[in-house]
Amino acid sequence: MKTFKSESLFKEAVKYIPGGVNSPVRAFKSVGGNPLFITKGEGSKIYDVDGNEFIEYIGSWGPHLFGHNPPFIKEALLKAFENGTSFGAPTELEVKMAKLISELVPSIEMIRMVNSGTEATMSAIRTARGYTGKEKFIKFEGCYHGHADYFLIKAGSGALTLGIPTSPGVTKGNAADTLLADYNDIDSVKKLILQNKSANQTGRNDIAAVIIEPIAGNMGVVRASNTFLTELREICNEENIVLIFDEVMTGFRVARGGAQEIFNIIPDLTTFGKIIGGGLPVGAFGGKKEIMEMVAPSGPVYQAGTLSGNPLAMAAGFAALTYIKDHPEVYTLLEEKSAYLENGIKENLKSLKKHYAFNRVGSMSTLFFVEGEANNFKSAVKSDTALYGKYFHEMLIRGIYLAPAQFEAAFISTEHTKEDLDKTIKANYQAVEALTKK
Ligand code: KE4
């Protein structure tokens, strides 16, 4: 596979951009080698500067539910572009977007647009703190909620991949307000609340929120158990703690109404990103009106953004969500494709006598290079990341572009054809076989 142009671009990039990339997980650090520079995406494929073509499963880390450059999003963008890019003033489309999200996700009574998932999650935490008057919050080891200081404690995704789950630069003060629980372990939550109460003179807890990926994608795909989430909901009710579902990845991905539709559990706040931007930078946080009315200018919790709700991003996002509203069959199609791929991979593992864990919810999945199960953080991190690195490259040379990191999700789009999936299954067999030969 020719990579000359990517190599020379990367040499240039590292001179001006930290690590040569604008987001760490793109750098191939944990799989070895240097990143490929992409020139074009079309449907299920991407093309790099050296002319290589790949069937790809990153989907820009989740946004591309309909593959790259879907005509209906491109058309909406071009139309919006005619009227200008950003006004810094309210537009009708923002009202339509807010109404559409609340129609598709009933727990959303009110919503604020922002420009990234990180902005959404950090604003949700601040709002929960403002609403409850309490300071601490609980996150789960291995979950990733973006790069706001207080989240970068035992975080997943790129932080975990690079072995810096707790980042330098995060102050002790910030870290002190972040309480860490174990995913799928309700006793670890109860223990934190008990400890927090006994530490307070009042005997009441000082915990504003619990934030969770209801289906984790950032330790690889690990689904919360129904009982765990149900009990978490009950505890938050009893203890006056705001339950935040971070659906930046799962929102409109795993079902039309997101993970909360699958679990039939209503969070107090939900954060969104990725798919709601249709490939442009959009995040959002929303939920109960009485909580969201705390957000400036209706309430005292300040939150702002120059380009929040800008016309181009809203046009792309509104087109994506309108398509979802008008075509609920999209999720049946995605389920068929994803189940087909899962079955092919599991058949391969069986015939190669490999017992790696393969987790999937809807069109997001992870093949963990760990024997047995990956049903929480502790089991997921036992994965052999070096072996994953070799697998990644064996797939890449066969024209399949996966996440360059074990602790990520692979995403299938509506545009992945049976031919793409068959090619992927064949490459998977040859790649896993090659690993055992080496
Ligand atoms: P952004 O700030 O990257 O838009 O969103 C942060 C975020 C929040 N919550 C969840 C559940 C997320 O998955 C993310 C971002 N996901 C990663 C991929 N695992 C983004 C990829 C990257 O960091 O480049």
Side-chain angles (χ1 to χ4, degrees):
M1 185 171 78
K2 290 192 306 1
T3 58
F4 172 75
K5 286 184 182 167
S6 276
E7 294 300 340
S8 49
L9 270 171
F10 188 62
K11 278 199 191 77
E12 201 63 6
V14 291
K15 291 182 205 160
Y16 302 98
I17 307 169
V21 290
N22 281 313
S23 196
V25 75
R26 303 175 191 170
F28 280 29
K29 271 257 181 283
S30 76
V31 294
N34 295 325
L36 302 178
F37 283 65
I38 304 303
T39 53
K40 184 182 167 205
E42 200 67 51
S44 61
K45 299 194 178 54
I46 50 174
Y47 304 82
D48 74 9
V49 287
D50 291 286
N52 298 305
E53 175 186 291
F54 302 95
I55 298 165
E56 71 101 6
Y57 290 89
I58 294 189
S60 180
W61 302 97
H64 294 330
L65 193 73
F66 308 106
H68 291 271
N69 227 1
F72 61 91
I73 292 182
K74 193 158 79 173
E75 197 186 306
L77 267 175
L78 290 173
K79 201 157 147 261
F81 194 64
E82 288 302 315
N83 298 325
T85 56
S86 181
F87 313 125
T91 62
E92 181 187 2
L93 193 49
E94 290 166 87
V95 183
K96 290 166 83 172
M97 182 72 165
K99 286 169 77 172
L100 180 54
I101 293 178
S102 61
E103 186 186 335
L104 294 172
V105 187
S107 71
I108 305 297
E109 296 171 350
M110 190 171 263
I111 190 163
R112 166 63 59 87
M113 290 292 142
V114 296
N115 301 283
S116 71
T118 296
E119 269 194 78
T121 54
M122 59 185 259
S123 306
I125 291 289
R126 185 182 313 134
T127 304
R129 285 171 163 161
Y131 174 71
T132 60
K134 301 194 275 182
E135 296 197 351
K136 306 238 183 301
F137 78 95
I138 294 175
K139 78 173 283 287
F140 293 85
E141 204 172 2
C143 283
Y144 177 74
H145 304 293
H147 64 89
D149 282 10
Y150 38 75
F151 290 133
L152 289 180
I153 290 137
K154 300 258 178 141
S157 183
L160 182 58
T161 294
L162 296 181
I164 41 174
T166 302
S167 170
V170 176
T171 63
K172 289 194 187 65
N174 250 313
D177 290 332
T178 306
L179 305 178
L180 267 179
D182 298 327
Y183 199 77
N184 271 331
D185 175 355
I186 200 66
D187 290 337
S188 70
V189 177
K190 289 176 182 169
K191 194 168 152 220
L192 282 176
I193 295 172
L194 218 55
Q195 283 168 345
N196 177 267
K197 276 181 172 175
S198 52
N200 290 334
Q201 313 312 332
T202 61
R204 279 182 303 121
N205 76 69
D206 176 32
I207 299 167
V210 170
I211 186 167
I212 188 165
E213 291 179 61
I215 296 164
N218 290 296
M219 54 179 105
V221 175
V222 174
R223 180 190 174 126
S225 78
N226 293 40
T227 39
F228 168 69
L229 278 187
T230 306
E231 288 191 70
L232 193 63
R233 176 66 278 178
E234 283 161 7
I235 289 173
C236 287
N237 290 338
E238 287 153 19
E239 300 286 347
N240 178 31
I241 295 174
V242 174
L243 178 58
I244 303 170
F245 273 12
D246 178 354
E247 296 222 43
V248 166
M249 190 184 288
T250 54
F252 307 104
R253 165 62 62 181
V254 295
R256 199 161 78 143
Q260 54 197 271
E261 177 184 289
I262 293 179
F263 288 107
N264 192 23
I265 291 178
I266 306 293
D268 301 308
L269 293 180
T270 303
T271 54
F272 298 100
K274 299 182 193 278
I275 289 172
I276 68 165
L280 267 66
V282 177
F285 66 106
K288 279 186 178 154
K289 199 173 171 109
E290 65 177 287
I291 302 176
M292 288 304 291
E293 284 186 328
M294 290 296 290
V295 180
S298 57
V301 177
Y302 197 68
Q303 189 282 327
T306 304
L307 291 167
S308 298
N310 78 77
L312 289 191
M314 290 297 101
F318 189 72
L321 298 189
T322 303
Y323 192 94
I324 285 171
K325 181 187 172 205
D326 296 344
H327 299 83
E329 73 278 5
V330 152
Y331 294 99
T332 315
L333 179 69
L334 285 166
E335 180 55 30
E336 279 161 13
K337 292 173 187 282
S338 307
Y340 182 82
L341 182 63
E342 174 178 6
N343 186 48
I345 290 175
K346 286 188 169 171
E347 283 300 312
N348 289 346
L349 295 175
K350 211 162 115 203
S351 49
L352 290 165
K353 295 185 178 37
K354 288 293 166 190
H355 309 288
Y356 300 136
F358 183 91
N359 292 355
R360 176 177 75 83
V361 181
S363 56
M364 55 190 266
S365 64
T366 301
L367 174 59
F368 292 91
F369 283 79
V370 64
E371 301 276 334
E373 287 199 328
N375 52 16
N376 56 27
F377 177 67
K378 283 185 178 55
S379 49
V381 286
K382 284 187 185 133
S383 300
D384 182 337
T385 52
L387 200 56
Y388 179 84
K390 292 195 183 85
Y391 173 71
F392 170 83
H393 284 288
E394 291 291 346
M395 291 294 272
L396 196 65
I397 56 174
R398 292 172 173 83
I400 310 297
Y401 192 108
L402 300 173
Q406 167 72 87
F407 305 114
E408 295 292 348
F411 299 103
I412 284 188
S413 78
T414 54
E415 303 315 294
H416 283 76
T417 62
K418 185 173 180 303
E419 190 194 351
D420 292 336
L421 300 176
D422 286 336
K423 185 173 174 186
T424 307
I425 292 166
K426 187 169 171 224
N428 165 266
Y429 185 91
Q430 293 170 349
V432 174
E433 192 183 39
L435 297 181
T436 30
K437 280 192 181 134
K438 285 194 172 161

